[in-house]
Amino acid sequence: MKIRTFGLCTALSLASFATFADYSSAMKDLNNSEYDQAFSEFQKLAHQGHANAMYELAKMYEQGLGTKQNIYDAFSWYMLAIDYGNEEAKENYKTIRSQIPSRKDGKDRYKALAYEYGYDKHQSLLAPVRDKSGHDARYITVKSKVAPSYGESSSSFSAWSTVSFDVNQQGNVINPRVIASFPKDVIDAAALEAISQWQFNVPNDYSGEPQAVFDLTHTFEHKASKGNYRREYEDQKVEYAGKLKALAEKGNNYAQARYAMMLEADLIEGSTDDYLDWYYRAAVNGNYDAQLWLVRCFEYGTACKADKKKAFNWLEVASDSGNERAQYQLANKLLDYETVHYNLEKAAQILKKATHNQYLPAMIAYAKLLAFADKESIRDYEEAVKYAELARAEAPNNPVLLSVLGVAYSELGHMQQGEKYLKQAYDEAKRRNWPTQNYLELMEGRASMMANGTSLIY
């Protein structure tokens, strides 16, 4: 299979249509006089620490575009933009400083904003600190690998594919997806098939319970054995990386995250760019993949100094932005009653949002919460049946869903139907080599399972 030029165009076209608002899309809205939309996007990015967005937000306050004109807010956001290193804001600040009616009121407004979104606050809550020790936290290790099978024609084509995946408590890969590849679709199917068969040694929590690990990535690269195909691929890869970086520098968060991935996977030779810096820029610019990459970085100290608080903060940022994967992970944190974050009601609200986005892991967790919650205000057997059946459209034999139906139907008075589902849940868990004790206890009626545990989530 020969690499063709249209593959480069197709791949790059994806980078120009990010699925979430970023600086480049906000600038496009501004230039198209869509001021309300631009203001909303700049404001969100400014709150996350985006210096250029702060500068644009200040100008919109100054001119009354997309919002009511407010010279004090303009003055304050110019000052914040300067704090974050935006050079253009300095001239505007000098001009507006002489125009504000009260310098004291202006500084008071700046202090109030700095308390919420200031540079020092951002550094303490969200900014990564590079771990210069070179330590790479071995929080998860590969137990067994399966190499991709590229077919008989593999000698005549080259490609790379980056896949994202989760690992459950048994060390099995779940939820694999391709997040970047070039040329697109050439080895994607082979990469997904291979990664799905990998096995991992997962870490244990403080109590010795195996932990699931989320949003891991791995890049597969295949190079043709024929020299002319290899050279063509290398040339186009360099061209692709260059155009991707150009888009990234213009503020496209998709391109920023994908460029970081290429750097991390050593797909770009001779670059002095740091992938941590690019992931951070993409995260501040609203990219979900980059935000969740930082969560993992802070959680385990893989490329930056470990900081559990910052990991949680980035989860909240991504969750508040509407990312269902982040919502699911955040809900798991909130369901852990051994932590300071425990909040059953908030977890239920967040899981419901992710469920309505049809994210299967969240659908399973929400159905379980509705059936097993120890709080009557959350427990709802009829709703548990509804959401469990919705989830079974994608995972008909999932033991957790079967156990939810078993308990819910039993509590609703359909004992025979409930017993049937509980037996199916036990048999399916046993077939999958999952721990079966909890399912056995449900069948025997000896345990009242509580949703804040993790023993039934796989």
Side-chain angles (χ1 to χ4, degrees), residues 211-231:
Q211 288 184 293
V213 179
F214 302 99
D215 286 286
L216 296 168
T217 59
H218 182 79
T219 297
F220 294 93
E221 185 176 27
H222 170 70
K223 293 185 178 182
S225 59
K226 296 181 180 179
N228 59 324
Y229 290 111
R230 289 171 66 97
R231 287 190 294 272

Side-chain angles (χ1 to χ4, degrees), residues 195-406:
I195 202 70
S196 296
Q197 300 175 69
W198 285 29
Q199 293 281 323
F200 288 85
N201 297 307
V202 297
N204 294 331
D205 63 14
Y206 59 91
S207 64
E209 184 80 9
Q211 288 184 293
V213 179
F214 302 99
D215 286 286
L216 296 168
T217 59
H218 182 79
T219 297
F220 294 93
E221 185 176 27
H222 170 70
K223 293 185 178 182
S225 59
K226 296 181 180 179
N228 59 324
Y229 290 111
R230 289 171 66 97
R231 287 190 294 272
E232 184 178 8
Y233 166 70
E234 294 297 338
D235 290 342
Q236 290 207 5
K237 188 169 65 170
V238 170
E239 182 184 359
Y240 174 77
K243 291 186 176 181
L244 199 63
K245 184 177 180 180
L247 282 170
E249 289 176 337
K250 290 180 180 178
N252 183 289
N253 66 18
Y254 181 101
Q256 290 169 340
R258 270 47 186 175
Y259 185 66
M261 289 175 191
M262 290 188 72
L263 289 168
E264 184 183 17
D266 292 324
L267 293 169
I268 304 174
E269 296 181 3
S271 175
T272 58
D273 289 348
D274 190 302
Y275 65 83
L276 174 59
D277 291 339
W278 278 105
Y279 274 123
Y280 175 51
R281 288 174 66 173
V284 168
N285 200 16
N287 183 274
Y288 298 143
D289 289 328
Q291 290 171 348
L292 290 176
W293 185 92
L294 280 178
V295 170
R296 192 173 72 251
C297 182
F298 284 126
E299 191 79 30
Y300 301 106
T302 51
C304 59
K305 185 177 180 181
D307 190 318
K308 300 289 186 181
K309 182 178 180 182
K310 289 182 178 180
F312 187 84
N313 291 341
W314 272 115
L315 259 186
E316 286 195 310
V317 169
S319 176
D320 291 344
S321 298
N323 180 259
E324 61 273 9
R325 290 183 291 125
Q327 290 169 342
Y328 171 67
Q329 293 179 41
L330 179 61
N332 280 339
K333 298 285 187 184
L334 297 171
L335 287 171
D336 187 351
Y337 65 91
E338 295 286 350
T339 72
V340 296
H341 302 301
Y342 177 67
N343 189 324
L344 199 60
E345 291 82 3
K346 186 176 180 180
Q349 294 171 3
I350 293 173
L351 280 177
K352 188 172 184 178
K353 291 178 182 178
T355 294
H356 288 175
N357 286 329
Q358 298 184 333
Y359 184 57
L360 181 59
M363 296 170 74
I364 295 171
Y366 187 53
K368 179 198 167 187
L369 188 62
L370 291 169
F372 295 116
D374 60 335
K375 285 193 175 182
E376 291 187 10
S377 60
I378 296 175
R379 193 169 60 247
D380 189 323
Y381 297 118
E382 290 183 353
E383 287 290 285
V385 169
K386 181 179 78 173
Y387 284 108
E389 292 292 6
L390 285 172
R392 288 185 72 213
E394 294 187 53
N397 298 317
N398 183 280
V400 178
L401 295 175
L402 292 171
S403 69
V404 166
L405 290 173

